[in-house]
Amino acid sequence: MKRCLVLCAFVVVAVLGFTSSAYGFGFLTQWGSTGTGDGQFGGSQGAEGIVTDASGNVFVVDRGNNRVQEFTSIGGFLTKWGTFGTAAGQFSGPFGIARDATGNLYVVDSFNFRVEKFNSAGAFIAAWGWGVSSGAAQFEKCISSCRAGLDGTGDGQFHSPTGVAVGAGGSVYVIGDGDERVQKFDSNGNFIGKWGSGPGTANNQFDHPVGIATDATGNVYVADTDNERVSKFDSNGVFITKWGSQGSGDGQFTSPEGIAVDSAGNVWVTDANADRVQEFTSTGTFLAKFGSPGTGDGQFTPPQGIAVDAVGNVFVTDSNSTNSRVQKFGEPQSSTPPPPGSQPPGGTTTGQRAAARKKCKKLKGKRRAKCIKKAKKLPV
């Protein structure tokens, strides 16, 4: 996967809704540091994949420590599972994580070339990939005596798998920055189909894709990292649309890697080498952005995984050992904002932009984009 060793872009944030104003979308909290203790993340790629559950709890793939950690929505450590190895429930360089409707979790075990499935408490259920049971050069599943899978490109086989997502019907989609394809499985790991090739730039091709996500209607979104774009497909791999190009402008990318879809159908992408997050409509219309290089609140070095919970909070893994943390963004829940146009001390109107943004959320597509453009001109 493409990564810069130095900061590739400097992004100054001045976009609707992504501010540190008293009321409105912005930085809420953070947790984590480099290490091996509870709530810490290991190495230069410590915190990677991230997902939330129906209760708002947060599951983070701690790649450097070969484990998964679970936290409350404000960063309180709950539990952990996983160690380095090839046995059932062990990991070697885990990366992506996804959750199904019943709470089961799927983890991409990258260097073991397999996918592992756990229940919501972290108990191992199964794994699949080539040779994971007997070591034979064939697709296999295991439920107890497991081993590392065999690297390759056969059906149900993995080569540098990185991303995993679960569709509305329970189908599991897996992608990798060396696979150049999407593979589709049922919830028990049975191979269903595949699409994609590469590296290439055609609509059905990829160049080192890293992230994958699904929406409520079953569409699949791929962060096509080295093509600097997002590609959208239906649940069977039929191409729908794409957006993005290389650059630092709105809607452009320099290594899009993490991707998530919120309950409204909007798409959130971590733009890793630009140290920012961008938000789009489901058809690729740019909505907003936040982030810049650094170690402060709301800064990244670089952002990797991303998840959005049921109430719209956004969680981002800040994966480099400099930050090695999870950051949470959203609208403060602890107090009620003043009415739009009210006069705080000093006489400046407040709340207008936040109120306008809430109205914009009820719109879709071009109407929402136009609403945001107008609201952007209002006082914070």
Side-chain angles (χ1 to χ4, degrees):
M1 127 191 15
K2 180 171 64 179
R3 288 186 181 275
C4 290
L5 297 180
V6 296
L7 295 175
C8 298
F10 184 83
V11 185
V12 178
V13 182
V15 182
L16 167 65
F18 301 93
T19 69
S20 295
S21 59
Y23 306 100
F25 192 102
F27 172 84
L28 294 180
T29 190
Q30 62 163 310
W31 67 88
S33 60
T34 301
T36 60
D38 295 346
Q40 292 186 306
F41 305 105
S44 61
Q45 293 183 27
E48 293 285 353
I50 188 168
V51 71
T52 63
D53 67 14
S55 300
N57 294 328
V58 182
F59 299 83
V60 182
V61 175
D62 182 5
R63 191 180 202 202
N65 288 321
N66 292 292
R67 64 186 181 183
V68 173
Q69 298 192 69
E70 181 184 2
F71 303 90
T72 67
S73 64
I74 56 174
F77 175 81
L78 294 175
T79 190
K80 62 186 176 185
W81 69 88
T83 57
F84 175 74
T86 62
Q90 293 186 309
F91 301 111
S92 179
F95 204 101
I97 187 170
R99 176 185 166 274
D100 67 21
T102 61
N104 295 317
L105 297 160
Y106 302 80
V107 180
V108 172
D109 192 6
S110 299
F111 299 146
N112 279 331
F113 308 107
R114 64 189 184 184
V115 172
E116 295 194 74
K117 180 179 179 179
F118 302 86
N119 68 19
S120 59
F124 176 81
I125 297 175
W128 65 83
W130 274 39
V132 297
S133 180
S134 70
Q138 62 186 18
F139 179 74
E140 295 180 338
K141 294 183 287 182
C142 61
I143 58 174
S144 57
S145 298
C146 298
R147 62 175 68 196
L150 301 176
D151 182 9
T153 58
D155 292 349
Q157 195 172 20
F158 303 110
H159 174 61
S160 297
T162 52
V164 61
V166 179
S171 297
V172 180
Y173 300 87
V174 183
I175 201 163
D177 76 340
D179 283 334
E180 320 292 357
R181 62 180 178 172
V182 175
Q183 296 194 75
K184 182 178 180 180
F185 304 85
D186 68 20
S187 61
N188 294 314
N190 297 305
F191 177 79
I192 296 175
K194 63 184 178 181
W195 71 85
S197 63
T201 60
N203 290 340
N204 64 340
Q205 290 187 309
F206 305 110
D207 191 353
H208 292 85
V210 172
I212 190 167
T214 59
D215 64 20
T217 60
N219 295 314
V220 179
Y221 301 79
V222 175
D224 191 4
T225 306
D226 284 3
N227 275 331
E228 312 290 3
R229 68 187 183 188
V230 171
S231 294
K232 179 180 179 180
F233 305 87
D234 72 12
S235 61
N236 294 313
V238 176
F239 176 80
I240 297 175
T241 190
K242 63 186 176 184
W243 65 87
S245 60
Q246 185 172 20
S248 58
D250 294 347
Q252 292 186 306
F253 301 108
T254 53
S255 290
E257 297 193 1
I259 189 166
V261 182
D262 65 23
S263 59
N266 294 321
V267 182
W268 301 74
V269 184
T270 58
D271 193 5
N273 287 338
D275 292 303
R276 65 179 179 177
V277 172
Q278 298 193 69
E279 181 191 8
F280 302 88
T281 67
S282 61
T283 56
T285 300
F286 173 81
L287 295 177
K289 63 186 177 185
F290 63 94
S292 62
T295 60
D297 295 346
Q299 294 184 310
F300 305 107
T301 65
Q304 181 62 58
I306 188 167
V308 186
D309 68 16
V311 296
N313 294 310
V314 177
F315 300 84
V316 181
T317 57
D318 200 1
S319 63
N320 190 282
S321 57
T322 302
N323 286 345
S324 203
R325 63 186 177 180
V326 174
Q327 296 194 68
K328 178 181 178 180
F329 303 85
E331 296 186 6
Q333 303 297 313
S334 59
S335 59
T336 303
S342 64
Q343 298 289 323
T348 304
T349 58
T350 186
Q352 293 185 34
R353 186 180 292 185
R357 188 175 192 275
K358 287 183 178 180
K359 292 181 179 179
C360 294
K361 285 183 177 180
K362 298 178 181 179
L363 304 176
K364 295 183 178 179
K366 292 182 179 179
R367 292 183 64 195
R368 187 169 190 257
K370 290 180 180 179
C371 177
I372 288 176
K373 187 175 181 180
K374 291 180 180 179
K376 187 177 178 180
K377 300 177 182 179
L378 297 173
V380 175

